[in-house]
Amino acid sequence: MSLTPEQLIASHKAHLETLFGLTNKAFEGVEKLVELNVTASRAALAEVATHTQAVLSVKDAQELLALQASLFQPLAEKTAAYNRHLYDIASSTSAEFGRTFEAQASEAQRNFSNLVDSAAKNAPAGSETSVAVFKSAVSAANNAFESVQKAVKQASDVAEANFNAVANTAANAAAKSAAAVQQRKR
């Protein structure tokens, strides 16, 4: 089985479309990241200005401590939210790349399988055992590839669960710390 010029051109065209599609997805991810950072920077600048004004109007050390303590909880929550947005951007971009890779790999597997089947049909007499062994090896390789894909998906799910747990723990710790500071003030 050989490729015709039309099939070769169609294959190259499909690969270029995939490349351009992935490039666009990568740029979309970068745009979202830049937008997130600009928004976070503006918010931080506004908060610094507000906090500076508040610090300048403090009358005594007790009031200064209370002001500082009141910053811990919102800061932890904002940091967790920023990290969540960052994770979501990276995750969605990565997922898009993964879907494209899986589709391309699936198509390559189908094409290779068709090539093996075609070669098996045209194999010389007496080579049935060799063809069966080769088909078995191809099937085993496909099964291994699918197992790796499942393992990567499971690892990704575990990483996301761990990220969420760490973010929640950090936010809870900041809340407890702020509450403890407030308690000491009284």
Side-chain angles (χ1 to χ4, degrees):
M1 178 178 161
S2 63
L3 290 176
T4 65
E6 293 81 22
Q7 290 172 322
L8 194 59
I9 289 170
S11 174
H12 284 301
K13 182 180 178 185
H15 286 95
L16 282 174
E17 287 173 1
T18 300
L19 176 65
F20 288 132
L22 289 175
T23 301
N24 284 333
K25 288 295 177 190
F27 275 113
E28 286 174 15
V30 169
E31 285 174 344
K32 288 177 184 176
L33 183 61
V34 167
E35 182 181 333
L36 173 65
N37 285 327
V38 166
T39 302
S41 296
R42 282 187 180 146
L45 187 58
E47 289 169 13
V48 165
T50 302
H51 183 67
T52 301
Q53 291 299 321
V55 167
L56 292 175
S57 67
V58 166
K59 306 280 190 262
D60 59 19
Q62 196 71 358
E63 192 177 341
L64 180 62
L65 287 175
L67 179 64
Q68 292 300 94
S70 70
L71 292 178
F72 289 129
Q73 171 81 25
L75 181 60
E77 290 171 356
K78 289 172 187 167
T79 301
Y82 174 83
N83 286 332
R84 175 44 96 197
H85 286 306
L86 190 61
Y87 179 81
D88 288 344
I89 291 168
S91 176
S92 67
T93 302
S94 176
E96 186 65 34
F97 274 77
R99 282 190 294 276
T100 301
F101 173 74
E102 286 178 17
Q104 292 291 318
S106 225
E107 183 180 337
Q109 284 177 325
R110 274 193 310 278
N111 290 342
F112 188 69
S113 224
N114 291 340
L115 180 65
V116 168
D117 288 342
S118 176
K121 289 177 187 172
N122 297 321
S127 63
E128 292 81 14
T129 303
S130 298
V131 169
V133 167
F134 187 70
K135 279 185 163 185
S136 177
V138 168
S139 177
N142 286 341
N143 290 339
F145 180 73
E146 289 172 9
S147 294
V148 167
Q149 282 180 317
K150 287 178 186 175
V152 167
K153 173 75 171 115
Q154 287 174 343
S156 177
D157 291 345
V158 167
E160 183 171 2
N162 287 341
F163 176 83
N164 290 334
V166 167
N168 288 337
T169 301
N172 290 339
K176 287 178 184 176
S177 175
V181 169
Q182 291 292 335
Q183 196 71 338
R184 278 188 238 137
K185 276 191 333 184
R186 295 176 191 166

